[in-house]
Amino acid sequence: MPSLKLSVPHELGQDEATTRVKTFLAKVQAKYEAQVSDLQQSWTDNVLNFAFKTYGFAVKGSMAVQASEVRFDGAIPFAAMLFKGKIEQTLRDEMTKLLS
């Protein structure tokens, strides 16, 4: 699967940013309830590992919360490659709102 990587800076500090990121997937699932299923998430220190299905495709990745940025590293299905730019921009916009 093709990778999707991005970094979103913040000025919240690691603890506050982690608190906000912990709510992120729940918000995504609530907002896109009809499109997202089988959401799984687990935390190891400051790294969230997640997986879910959308439109029949499996998506997985991680979000590492650092003191001044959140790094997203994920994999998207080949069928979604045409939408990679839109996915990146939407994710960046949502994370920027979350961390501001």
Side-chain angles (χ1 to χ4, degrees), residues 48-84:
L48 167 65
N49 293 296
F50 64 87
F52 60 89
K53 290 183 181 173
T54 183
Y55 296 106
F57 296 110
V59 177
K60 63 180 179 176
S62 65
M63 295 173 71
V65 181
Q66 305 296 321
S68 61
E69 70 180 358
V70 174
R71 292 182 184 167
F72 177 89
D73 185 9
I76 59 172
F78 284 106
M81 282 302 294
L82 291 173
F83 306 104
K84 183 178 179 183

Side-chain angles (χ1 to χ4, degrees), residues 28-99:
V28 168
Q29 187 175 27
K31 185 173 182 177
Y32 300 102
E33 182 177 3
Q35 294 89 12
V36 174
S37 64
D38 299 332
L39 176 64
Q40 300 170 18
Q41 56 183 328
S42 65
W43 282 90
T44 304
D45 297 324
N46 65 326
V47 178
L48 167 65
N49 293 296
F50 64 87
F52 60 89
K53 290 183 181 173
T54 183
Y55 296 106
F57 296 110
V59 177
K60 63 180 179 176
S62 65
M63 295 173 71
V65 181
Q66 305 296 321
S68 61
E69 70 180 358
V70 174
R71 292 182 184 167
F72 177 89
D73 185 9
I76 59 172
F78 284 106
M81 282 302 294
L82 291 173
F83 306 104
K84 183 178 179 183
K86 174 109 173 107
I87 293 167
E88 285 177 338
Q89 189 59 50
T90 300
L91 184 57
R92 186 179 308 280
D93 291 348
E94 291 294 323
M95 290 299 297
T96 299
K97 282 192 273 188
L98 180 74
L99 298 169

